[in-house]
Amino acid sequence: MIKISVIIPVYNAEKYLRECLDSVIGQALQDIEIICVDDGSTDNSLSVLQEYAVKDARLKIVAQANQGAAAARNVGMAAAQGESLAFLDADDLYYTDALQAAYTCATKSNADMVVFEADFFDDKQGRLRTERLETKYLAGLQEFSAYAIAEFIFQISSCNTWNKLYKREFLQRSGLQYQELRTANDLCFVYSALACAGKIAVLKEPLVRHRVLHSGNLQSVKVKTPLDFMAALEQLKQNLQQFGLWEPLKRSYLNCAMFHCLYNWHTLDRQGKSQITAKSQEITELLEFAEHSADYYYSRNDYILMCKVVRFNRGGDVSIMGKLKNMLKHILPPPINAFNREVAGIKQMMLELNAGLLAQHKQEQELYNEQLAVLGEQQKEQIVLLDNKYDKQLAVFAEMNKQQLELLRQQQIQIAEIEQRQQQIQERLGELDKLTKLQTQRLALLNDVKAELNKPVKRDYAYYEDLFTNKYEKELKLWYKERTGEELNLQNPKTFNEKIQWMKLYDSTPLKTRLADKYLVRDWVAEKIGEEYLIPLLGAWDSFEDIDFDKLPERFVLKANHGYNWNYIVKDKSTFDKNDARAKFAEWLNTNFAFKGLEIQYMNIPPKIIAEEYLENGDSDLYDYKVFCFGGKAESIMYLSERKQGLKMAFFDLEWHKLPFTYSYPRNEADIAKPKNLDLLIKLAEKLSAGFPHVRVDFYILNDGSLKFGEMTFTTANGMCKWNPPEQNRIYGDLIKLPPKSPIPERI
């Protein structure tokens, strides 16, 4: 079994490719495949790949014209066979135990994703730094999901794809693909995966070394698409809305989006920045600045700078002092660690503010210098004006800086006052015992929830009743395989059973629902062939308690109209067990027969109880003649008898010659007399079956020769006939000409 498929997009990576491949081939975990997608390289990258493929059979090469890293990764995903997927750039490398550590973590926790740390190698200066995960948001959790940390899910890790391991089944289920953009093509993919994953595991150690700041790196070359990050953020928002995750994850998304807007602003040249500025209105709407105050965003400095970039008037924005006072107003003495984190957060806020002001001053100075360099001798008057304007701006900025420094001084005084309150906090440490108990109860509850989530899926009536219609096809295939041991081909069905399954989904029309209703079908039959062929109706009721049994004869049959074989036969009213009947109909009327075997034509039938006259041919037996019709033409007649001794079956042609096949029940080898009214039986069946690809029209023939309509059966044996011989399954399948697909009906 292949445990991990490592997917590597390759484009002109000859210089670093060998080092990358050596790191993957030399992994401690050997049960892997290596899928290298050459994206139209013009150097010797493809030759290097071919050289390594000869030495190691685990390496597979896919070659394509240059389409970009995203398209290459998507091609690699389509070809992957591993239990999990990992993505690596062709100039990066794995540490020896990387894949083993990630795979062990994933299997131990049954996680959809594993997120780990990475080392960044500066190719120009030869320096190595580690990018840590923001585990402060996890409160000690080693496993989590978007619901557990909804406000920080996009702050835990960067949107890089090469420091993650994905379960392949999870990616297939969620349908995620990389956006085919020149830059930011993994942003939407990674963040969508973090949002959708049922469980994410964390490894707080670097497993991969990422190369930065060299020519040829997929991210280091600035292409002429500076707004790709906008397309990625907009697609991510659409995904969250589609998955029903927008509201719970909105705050984390908006802060993440603001970070990426600023990151791209800082790293673009003047032309790129002007394109971002031209999109100010769209960015303002994307970040929802008009709907939220500054407190909604995690970094006030980033918020202020972003407002300047998009020229958004912050109006009644709350001051930092007001923010601090509100925070202090609601402080209840927390545990010492939480208090220290709060104090550290306030200090960090002040440092960020001061750094932001200095950065703003530096940016304005650089802008001023650029403007001076561009202006020529003919623009000296404008330079003088700019000098005056800039002097005024410097004066305003100096005053603002003075005010901010005073504000910082006041904050330092307040922090000193807060530190004095630590003595009071010590007196309340006893309350921690209560909090510990609550935490223990919470962990116990979480364990119960985990145990419940890890229970195997029980595909019973309740499971099918809760299914969305877009899951019916997949679940019908599983249902069919479990009961027959055969794969169900719904794309190109051939056999009788396969075509019955196809029509269950794609030909369950409103007319079939009406005719599957044992009450409503009576009017249709009377209109088509005459009321004399109906079993006399004694009554119809919405509940068992509505039935007046005193008005019913000594013998009768009660039926639930919305299912199959939900019949209660009363041969002697004096011995009738009313309580037993009441219990059965209470269960039947509260059950939707469609979800017992995905026979969708039963789904929207309003439940009723009907009573019909009791029929028999003698010795409690009733002779059943079921006419198999295809496209409105009778093909054969199935005869059923001996219900009391053990049901037997025989098939006859239209001339009443016994046919050499049966299904599911023993073949009746006895000589069975040809019914006198056989021609009438066939004529009536063909009249009722007109317009349907296939239907089985059921009649009873009584001792006096009269015919009584039984039912219209569209899904014989629920499409699981055990044909004997098996070839009959294909013979009857060839007679069904499938109609155009109809939409799967929704439940009313």
Side-chain angles (χ1 to χ4, degrees), residues 289 294 300 303-305 307-308 312-318:
F289 277 173
R300 184 177 182 85
Y303 171 75
I304 293 172
L305 182 55
C307 288
K308 289 181 179 293
F312 176 71
N313 183 4
R314 294 181 286 118
D317 199 7
V318 181

Side-chain angles (χ1 to χ4, degrees), residues 625 637 639 652-658 672-675 678:
Y625 297 80
I637 303 162
Y639 174 79
F652 294 86
D653 64 15
L654 302 187
E655 300 297 329
W656 206 250
H657 299 121
K658 189 175 288 187
I672 301 166
K674 175 181 178 180
L678 177 62

Side-chain angles (χ1 to χ4, degrees), residues 24 257 268 394 439 445 524:
V24 181
L268 288 170
L394 286 177
Q439 181 69 4
L445 179 60
W524 185 82

Side-chain angles (χ1 to χ4, degrees), residues 18 28 133 138 143 241 271 285 289 405 422 524 542 715:
R18 294 179 186 276
L133 300 174
L138 297 179
E143 301 166 6
Q241 291 171 335
Q271 184 179 359
E285 293 174 358
F289 277 173
L405 290 173
Q422 288 194 23
W524 185 82
D542 291 326
T715 50

Side-chain angles (χ1 to χ4, degrees), residues 580-622:
D580 180 60
R582 178 185 288 109
K584 281 186 168 59
F585 278 99
E587 177 184 353
W588 293 341
L589 293 183
N590 286 288
T591 301
N592 192 319
F593 190 80
F595 302 118
K596 295 178 74 65
L598 292 176
E599 294 179 272
I600 308 301
Q601 72 269 24
Y602 290 102
M603 182 165 60
N604 291 318
I605 299 177
K608 278 185 177 295
I609 303 172
I610 63 173
E612 294 178 343
E613 282 191 2
Y614 175 81
L615 303 178
E616 74 172 26
N617 291 96
D619 194 23
S620 299
D621 203 358
L622 186 61

Side-chain angles (χ1 to χ4, degrees), residues 130-197:
T130 300
E131 182 182 85
R132 301 294 183 186
L133 300 174
E134 296 295 337
T135 54
K136 62 186 178 184
Y137 299 121
L138 297 179
L141 294 174
Q142 296 300 312
E143 301 166 6
F144 65 96
S145 70
Y147 286 102
I149 54 166
E151 290 196 349
F152 302 106
I153 183 61
F154 302 131
Q155 282 68 47
I156 294 297
S157 173
S158 67
C159 64
N160 297 316
T161 195
W162 31 256
N163 67 330
K164 279 98 180 166
L165 183 72
Y166 309 86
K167 186 182 291 185
R168 183 163 68 96
E169 183 271 335
F170 157 64
L171 293 181
Q172 291 174 332
R173 185 174 68 249
S174 58
L176 294 178
Q177 292 275 292
Y178 287 91
Q179 268 184 296
E180 295 194 11
L181 304 171
R182 297 301 298 176
T183 61
N185 48 55
D186 51 0
L187 186 153
C188 180
F189 178 88
V190 171
Y191 285 148
S192 295
L194 286 170
C196 295

